[in-house]
Amino acid sequence: MFRYIALAWSDAPGAAGLAHALSAALRAQPEWQVALSRQGLHAFTTGTQAGINQAYTLHAQRGVVLGRLFPREQFHAGAEEVSRRIALDDQVISSSGRALLQAYWGRYVALFESPSGEFRVLRDPSATLPCFRLEHHGVTIVFSWLEDVLTLLPQIPAPGVDREGVAAYMAFRELSGRQTALQGVTQVLPGECVTLASSSETASQLLWDPAAIARDPLDLSPADAQNAVRDLVASCVQAWSSCYDSILLRLSGGVDSSILASCLSSDRTPSRVTCLNYHSTGSDSDEREYARRAASMAGRELIEYERNAGFRLERILDVARTPVPCNYVGRIASASDAEVASAAGARAMFSGAGGDQLFFEVSRWWPAADYLRLRGLDRGFLTAALDAALLGKVSVWRALRLAVSDRFRRTPPEQGQHKQFHLFTDAVRQRARSPGDFVHPVFLVPSGLPIGKLMQVQQLVSLSGYYDAFTRDRAPELVTPLLSQPLIELCLRLPTYVLVQGGRGRALLRTAFKGAIPQEIEQRRSKGGMEEHVKALLDKHLDFARELLLDGELVRLGLIDRAATEAALGARRSEAKSHPNEVHVCLGIEAWLRRYTP
């Protein structure tokens, strides 16, 4: 489990002494190594592995890049060869980090000295590796895993819960902005560069602006767009696979994971790849037949694992202390991930996460509006409207009307999933109307983007998970090759009506990989889930859910309605408006809150 802690300090009285005391505490830990040590900035890592996660030191010790770098001009070199070719020069410093974004991609956080002599931190655009900050008496602590700070640095007091941050998380189901759900703990945004330990107000700058990239669309023929997507997907997957001798692939049998299996086939990578499929009872929960066909076509072994019906929901109380609550529903099988990965000797778990956002699997009419904004009323608009109507399951007349209406929109549409939930109080709804720094700036500032592309940008700036807050260091390293910077940038520049040509979600991707994945999967319209499993899990643990929620922190903070929650967990719960998944969301937040309650 690769993690890091960096310390930067100002010239405030006592700051240097505190920083050196914190540094001494980390040096005393045998599993932690010094990645950089210079006046004003110390960096430490644990879990480093050459070619996977390591420290790349800048010239003259002027900084360090932590994680994994790939040069942009070389995708297919082996891990050892790529590592030799990483030669970070003074351009990283002189460009204030821009040169790093332009010449490399990967999974990293960079700490370096600016031309003015201040220390800065830059997070890579994929935002895979977490990057949080907190200030204490003139010392800025930059870290990836909060438990390390609270456990190894006793001089740092545990932060308190920010009620407004919790309300924002409930409204949006994530916090994509700088503020977290803990007081004094902030996060660095994807592609953001932040000045550390500054005597003035902290300066930050988005060096990588997804909205600006999306405002420069590519005008490619369908064939050229398909080739670009196919080649870049394959290159990114193979670059990541070159880091690992053995890989566990989460293979659902959907389009994205099946494409990963194709790119990881026995004739395309020397890595040993084992596919893993989870299934459970229910019409949408058993995708084994699709997974079998994808694994067979890729020439890879498939392990079929039944979701644990005996999972004890009490285990969620053992969640790690993190700056933002954790949704445990997707992690229910994570203990099995660790077990299977260990048996297969796999260090990494590859996942097709991100494909829906990248390649536009959204059942909405938006591509018609995007076409109208970008191309106007030319002869292709009616075709785009027909595609959008098919995609959004509306009449073509409605698609046309909504597209024209969006043409005159001046402000970003309202965000948040709070309208779908019935247990939340007005405090959550009010926070949704005033999100502030709890959401990414692209949600708040008019971008000039058409609605479909704006929604895609907003989905892609939402931060993905890297650590498992429940299984912790037993879990295999999570790798999401589709969320690689070059691929994100390409898909941001491809108009939505190109991505869904023909009225199918991910149409461009499906066509690009036609023949590389089973035809049944390429043409598949359904999408698997685990609704029945989630409902059965709640039914088995109703007493625990009542005990945790009815007199818990969420009720005390005024964020859920006690009477509505009691009805959702009562004998007539089938008549309640809430969905079992909403109760699970509340249980996850409540368990997280209990970790910060004295």
Side-chain angles (χ1 to χ4, degrees), residues 381-586:
F381 176 55
L382 182 57
T383 300
L386 289 167
D387 288 348
L390 183 60
L391 182 73
K393 299 180 176 64
V394 298
S395 71
V396 67
W397 302 114
R398 179 168 172 78
L400 288 168
R401 181 175 63 80
L402 291 170
V404 172
S405 175
D406 183 73
R407 181 67 182 83
F408 300 100
R409 175 180 52 82
R410 293 291 178 265
T411 59
E414 183 181 355
Q415 297 299 305
Q417 301 185 30
H418 55 284
K419 295 180 180 179
Q420 305 170 19
F421 293 88
H422 303 277
L423 305 183
F424 298 171
T425 64
D426 286 341
V428 175
R429 300 181 184 95
Q430 290 170 5
R431 174 47 62 186
R433 290 190 286 268
S434 302
D437 278 347
F438 293 111
V439 300
H440 193 282
V442 76
F443 285 76
L444 307 173
V445 180
S447 63
L449 291 173
I451 186 169
K453 185 55 66 172
L454 174 62
M455 294 303 182
Q456 184 191 32
V457 168
Q458 291 175 348
Q459 290 174 336
L460 288 172
V461 298
S462 300
L463 309 179
S464 61
Y466 181 65
Y467 299 121
D468 186 333
F470 298 95
T471 310
R472 297 179 171 88
D473 57 359
R474 298 193 308 277
E477 181 173 49
L478 180 63
V479 181
T480 51
L482 297 181
L483 293 175
S484 296
Q485 180 185 346
L487 194 52
I488 294 172
E489 291 171 349
L490 172 63
C491 292
L492 284 174
R493 297 188 64 194
L494 289 173
T496 58
Y497 53 83
V498 173
L499 292 171
V500 299
Q501 204 163 47
R504 289 194 306 166
R506 291 175 292 183
L508 181 69
L509 180 72
R510 295 171 191 267
T511 305
F513 281 88
K514 189 172 185 177
I517 61 175
Q519 184 178 11
E520 299 88 346
I521 296 174
E522 185 262 316
Q523 296 178 348
R524 185 181 177 188
R525 296 270 182 172
S526 63
K527 193 172 180 65
M530 49 188 296
E531 297 297 325
E532 291 91 342
H533 184 70
V534 166
K535 182 180 183 300
L537 185 65
L538 180 60
D539 288 343
K540 281 189 175 183
H541 296 87
L542 282 175
D543 290 341
F544 170 76
R546 293 190 193 101
E547 180 183 351
L548 199 65
L549 289 179
L550 295 184
D551 296 301
E553 291 297 302
L554 284 172
V555 169
R556 186 183 68 80
L557 292 171
L559 298 177
I560 62 172
D561 182 276
R562 191 184 191 282
T565 304
E566 190 169 16
L569 298 172
R572 302 179 66 179
R573 58 188 177 278
S574 61
E575 301 175 11
K577 293 181 179 180
S578 63
H579 188 275
N581 191 56
E582 181 179 358
V583 178
H584 281 293
V585 168
C586 293

Side-chain angles (χ1 to χ4, degrees), residues 25 49 63 157 175 180 194 199 201 228 237 250 257 274 302 364 366 375 403 443 492 507 548 560 571:
Q49 296 175 314
L175 295 182
T180 71
V194 179
S199 57
E201 185 177 342
V237 174
R250 179 74 69 83
S257 63
T274 304
L302 174 67
R364 299 299 294 270
W366 297 333
R375 304 288 294 270
F443 285 76
L492 284 174
L548 199 65
I560 62 172

Side-chain angles (χ1 to χ4, degrees), residues 4 109 121 123 129-133 142-144 186-189:
Y4 66 87
V109 167
V121 59
R123 189 178 187 188
L129 194 60
C131 186
F132 299 103
R133 298 184 301 122
V142 183
F143 59 94
S144 58
T186 60
Q187 60 187 340
V188 180
L189 302 181

